[in-house]
Amino acid sequence: MALALGWMHLACAQSAHPAPIAIHSVSVDLPASQSSFPPGLGSDIAGKCLICHSAGMVLKQPALTQTEWTAEINKMRTAYGAPIEDSEVAVLSAYLTKVNADQQGK
C-alpha cells in the first residue's frame, strides 16, 4: 500500500508542476519595405500602422468602404492596442479609403 500511495504522490506532484518552458530570443532580418504612405490628410496617423504592418501590406488590402476601414481601425485599437485616438479614427479611415481606392484605380 505504501508503494501505491508513493506512486500517486509522484503522479500528483508531476501534474501540479509541469516542466518549465524554455524561452529565448531570436534575431530575424526582415526585408526593407519599398512602400510608403502617400502624402495627404491622415498620412501622419497612418504612420502609426507601421508599428505592426508595412505600408505595402496596408496599401494592398482589397477595396474597403470607409465603414469597413473604421471597423478595421477599431479592431486594431481594441484587440491589439493600436495607439490611435478616438479623434483620429474618422480622419484615418477617410485617408485609407481614398488611398485604397487610388491604389485600386477606382
Side-chain angles (χ1 to χ4, degrees):
M1 183 70 165
L3 179 60
L5 289 175
W7 179 84
M8 288 176 60
H9 176 73
L10 179 61
C12 290
Q14 288 177 342
S15 65
H17 302 287
I21 298 172
I23 299 174
H24 60 278
S25 298
V26 296
S27 178
V28 177
D29 292 324
L30 299 174
S33 177
Q34 302 299 318
S35 299
S36 60
F37 289 112
L41 180 63
S43 62
D44 57 331
I45 302 168
K48 294 181 178 181
C49 300
L50 300 174
I51 295 170
C52 297
H53 307 289
S54 69
M57 182 268 185
V58 175
L59 295 172
K60 291 179 182 164
Q61 294 303 304
L64 300 176
T65 66
Q66 186 168 353
T67 300
E68 292 167 326
W69 275 115
T70 299
E72 284 299 311
I73 293 164
N74 284 325
K75 178 179 75 179
M76 297 301 157
R77 295 173 66 216
T78 58
Y80 303 108
I84 298 169
E85 303 296 326
D86 287 343
S87 62
E88 297 175 321
V89 173
V91 174
L92 180 57
S93 65
Y95 172 79
L96 291 173
T97 301
K98 181 184 181 325
V99 169
N100 186 235
D102 290 349
Q103 294 286 318
Q104 311 260 338
K106 296 180 179 176

